[in-house]
Amino acid sequence: MTDTLPVSVIQYRPLDGGIPANAEEHVRLIEDADDHGARLVVFPELSLTGYRLDLLDRPESWLAPDDHRLADVREICRRTGITAVIGAALREADGTPRLASLAVHPDGSTETAFKTHLHGDELELFTPGEGATHIEVDGWKTALAICLDASVPSHSGDSAAAGADLYCVSALYTKDEEHRLALHLGARAMDNRMFTALANLGGSSPLGESCGLSGVWGPDGLPLKQASGTGTEIVSAVLQRGRLNKFRR
C-alpha cells in the first residue's frame, strides 16, 4: 500500500470513427497521463463511442470481452504500469448488454463495472449492474461508478462500507448541471470520508453540451482540481493517504 496515488481523469471529447479511432486516442492520452506520473487514469462514460445510443444498432459499436480493438490500450497499460478505466457498451460472453467501465490493468487483466442506475433509453438497451465494482491500484481500494450511480447515496455508501478509498465516476453531466455535479461529487466524498474523482464526457451529445468540470474532490468534500473548459483535458492530482486518515479519525 502506497502513501500516495497519482490519478489523472480524462475529460474526453469523442472522435468520429467509432471504437478504433477513439481507442487510438485513448492510447495517446494514457501516454500523456504517464508524463503526469499517473498510476490510475479514468475516462468518461461511453468514452469509446460517445453518448450515441442511436448507434448501438450497429454491432461494431459494442465491445466484446478481450476485444482485439483494445490491444494497443492493453499494451500502453503494460508499458507504463497504468490502470486505465474506459467506457463502452459491452456484450458479455453470454450476450448480456451492459453499459460498462472496463479497468485495464498493466498485467493484461480486465475488470468490469456495470451501470446500476439506468435511465431513459438506456433501460431498453442495457441490463443493470448490482452495485459498484472495486478494483485495487497500489493498495488503494477504488470503487467504479457510472453517471447516475453517483446520485444515489447508497451506491457510494456501500463502497465506503467495503473500505473504498476512492470513488471514481465516469459520467456525462451537461450544461446547467454544474450545481448537480458539484453536489454529487462533494457529498459522496464528504459523507463517506473518501476521495472522489469525475471524468466527464466533453463536447456535445444528443443529451446536450457538456458542462466540463472533471476533477478530484478531497474527503472534506472540496474540489482539489477541476478542468477549465469543456473539451478534451487531462486533470491530474496526487491523493494522499494522510489526508484520508485525518478525516477518518
Side-chain angles (χ1 to χ4, degrees), residues 82-164:
I82 285 172
T83 293
V85 178
I86 60 180
L90 173 75
R91 286 201 185 278
E92 294 192 83
D94 64 1
T96 303
R98 303 287 195 176
L99 205 168
S101 286
L102 292 86
V104 181
H105 294 288
D107 64 2
S109 64
T110 301
E111 295 180 88
T112 52
F114 305 135
K115 188 171 184 176
T116 301
H117 300 283
L118 302 170
H119 62 90
D121 291 341
E122 295 170 4
L123 293 164
E124 302 299 321
L125 290 166
F126 303 105
T127 299
E130 298 179 356
T133 292
H134 299 95
I135 65 172
E136 197 165 292
V137 181
D138 293 349
W140 287 66
K141 192 166 187 177
T142 300
L144 303 182
I146 303 173
C147 207
L148 194 62
D149 292 342
S151 72
V152 180
S154 62
H155 193 270
S156 59
D158 290 346
S159 295

Side-chain angles (χ1 to χ4, degrees), residues 214-237:
S214 299
V216 179
W217 285 253
D220 55 2
L222 297 176
L224 301 177
K225 204 168 184 181
Q226 288 187 275
S228 58
T230 61
T232 297
E233 187 175 342
I234 299 175
V235 181
S236 299

Side-chain angles (χ1 to χ4, degrees), residues 43-94:
F43 286 89
E45 180 179 30
L46 294 174
S47 61
L48 285 176
T49 57
Y51 196 90
R52 292 293 307 276
L53 304 185
D54 55 313
L55 299 181
L56 294 182
D57 58 347
R58 305 177 185 178
E60 65 270 20
S61 294
W62 292 81
L63 211 62
D66 300 319
D67 201 298
H68 71 278
R69 292 171 293 180
L70 294 186
D72 289 342
V73 173
R74 295 189 190 96
E75 173 57 23
I76 193 63
C77 290
R78 183 200 66 78
R79 183 160 61 81
T80 61
I82 285 172
T83 293
V85 178
I86 60 180
L90 173 75
R91 286 201 185 278
E92 294 192 83
D94 64 1

Side-chain angles (χ1 to χ4, degrees), residues 167-190:
Y167 185 70
C168 284
V169 182
S170 299
L172 170 56
Y173 286 89
T174 56
K175 191 176 179 182
D176 299 326
E177 290 189 311
E178 292 88 347
H179 184 58
R180 184 168 179 263
L181 180 160
L183 286 175
H184 288 167
L185 275 296
R188 301 299 85 87
M190 185 175 67

